[in-house]
Amino acid sequence: MTIDEMVDKTGEWLKGKGPSNDVVISSRVRLARNLAGFIFSDYMPKSMAEKLVGLVKNAVDNSNYLKKHTFFSDKDITLLDKEFFKERHLISGELVEAKRPHAVCFTDDEIVSIMINEEDHLRLQVLQSGFNLVEALRLIDVIDAELENNLDYAFSPTLGYLTACPTNVGTGLRASCMLHLPALVMTKQINKVLQALSKMSIAVRGLYGEGTQATGNFFQFSNQITLGRQEEQIVNDFEKIVKQVIEHEQEARIALSNKRLTKLADQIWRSLGILRSTRIISSGEANSLLSLVRLGCDLGLIKDLNKNKLNELFIVIQPAHLQKIYRTELPVDERDEKRASLIREKLKSVSL
Amino acid sequence: MTIDEMVDKTGEWLKGKGPSNDVVISSRVRLARNLAGFIFSDYMPKSMAEKLVGLVKNAVDNSNYLKKHTFFSDKDITLLDKEFFKERHLISGELVEAKRPHAVCFTDDEIVSIMINEEDHLRLQVLQSGFNLVEALRLIDVIDAELENNLDYAFSPTLGYLTACPTNVGTGLRASCMLHLPALVMTKQINKVLQALSKMSIAVRGLYGEGTQATGNFFQFSNQITLGRQEEQIVNDFEKIVKQVIEHEQEARIALSNKRLTKLADQIWRSLGILRSTRIISSGEANSLLSLVRLGCDLGLIKDLNKNKLNELFIVIQPAHLQKIYRTELPVDERDEKRASLIREKLKSVSL
């Protein structure tokens, strides 16, 4: 798949399907892996980094599951391409900045992605639409095993998989879910929830992972402890916690609907009205307004907007996507205008 | 004409026609008149007030120009009816509150209205669309002369027409114009303009005359001096001053369009977007948003909304109109919902 072909579509995980998709946008499991006999990425000489990229490419090419994949080494892509991948949650901010030889590989449906020479030699990731960590774990285990047939992972019988950062040692697994929590925010319960999660070693981040702020009432939760427990156990424990947050959000939505539906409906419809009419809009404001529109869809107020289209909008209005769509570099001012124009176009058929 | 028949239409003066209708909504001339041999309204016994209403009714019935008129004495109408007339600028707030026998009479096109037993025995008013004081003065002189054929006005050769309040003695004339000055407000020049006007003895009021605040960037200007000058002179002097304000506003609009059209266009379109989507809205907020939409029409941004329809909206969203339209008494909360619903209905065909 070429990058131009990617512009007109988005990944399977954005389809708004899967369990609890009213609250959970996506579920993600990632594994950190390193190769025996190679220095960790941060300290690796250039030639070794290139050799490593080649080795992983070979393993990927021999994988059955990854048959339909696209592989880009850093030499094949621009900074804008990498920003574009980041906005699609295929790679991390750290890989965008990386100076050493590195690469990224993902399946055409964008469910599986592999970063090569990020913090670890390999970062495997599986994304699922909705609340579906079990399927993500099942899939990543298949891919991990296939790659291991052709790669010699650094593994210690006592510590488990070795990783560049000790917080990842053991299973190298991290599970995360992207949740949409507008009702907990509106009813001012969110801080209590976040404090409780922090006590349970759950990290909270924004739409784009580490170092980003929550915008548009989107919160990414992930487990912090990877050592000394089995993969299934980690995922199960994390799932139980997320489930409670989902239930809290759903209860808060019912309470909001019962108590002050007209006021809430007004906020939701006005958000749609602004999005359908704006001529200049920042991505932050667009996220906040789209968040309310999403709640409006989930509450059954807005009926003629499908969730896939809406989920996509959160992605395609990001800076790199706008520049890919309009096929030109855009300064911030112009982006705000193009963003407004794109949103109007995408929402023009939604009744007010 | 019955009040129910009035609900579905508005006065001729709201048609958005006439000179400088981009800035001037309407022009108004009023005359204060009192009858010789009658005590001023405030101190008049009930029987005398009733007699006076009868005398004026007879004079109106014998007027040629006022052939197509409607005459309501206070016994024929409710408080809500009077609020409804006030919102249409047919009567004043003072007449709404009046306890003594009183009446109102207006032509079916709502261009001419006569209040009986307001502060003065008679208050004649002519309203014109746009900046058209000359025509208003011509018309009011015709009507005044016709009434004088059947009424004995209190007139002093030295003072002129006698009035209850000395500020009206002389011609009893007041000229006023309702101006829409969004660009002077946005460019923060409005206070300078208002200060200059105050030095020239021009009074500034809101949409509904004495004691009301300017909302929606609408300002009612009127002359203060009526003694010692001819009617034509008063109107000419006032006209010259208003003309300067109109020119200032038009220059400010051009400056705004040149300097930051995209930002301004964004504000204007968002206002339309909110009006087309809101579920609860106060009349104050609606006025402000409609004001920006009006500017958008005048700047040629919004093309498919005619000015008559827009001018009407400012009137029909007022509390008494809403209650007349929905044919029921409405508490404030419900009014805000009905107002939103009416605005959405009226604007649904305007493209965003």
Side-chain angles (χ1 to χ4, degrees), chain A residues 156-175:
Chain A
S156 142
T158 48
L159 292 173
Y161 290 101
L162 301 181
T163 54
C165 176
T167 56
N168 289 313
V169 165
T171 57
L173 180 144
R174 187 147 293 169

Side-chain angles (χ1 to χ4, degrees), chain A residues 262-263 266 269-270 273-274 276-281 285 337 352, chain B residues 262-263 266 269-270 273-274 276-281 285 337 352:
Chain A
T262 318
K263 186 89 199 86
D266 184 54
W269 286 110
R270 282 175 180 231
I274 293 172
R276 281 207 45 202
S277 58
T278 179
R279 260 61 181 175
I280 313 179
I281 194 164
E285 190 192 2
E337 289 180 42
L352 287 172
Chain B
T262 317
K263 186 87 198 85
D266 184 55
W269 286 110
R270 282 175 180 230
I274 293 171
R276 282 206 45 202
S277 58
T278 179
R279 261 60 180 175
I280 313 178
I281 193 163
E285 190 192 3
E337 288 180 41
L352 288 172

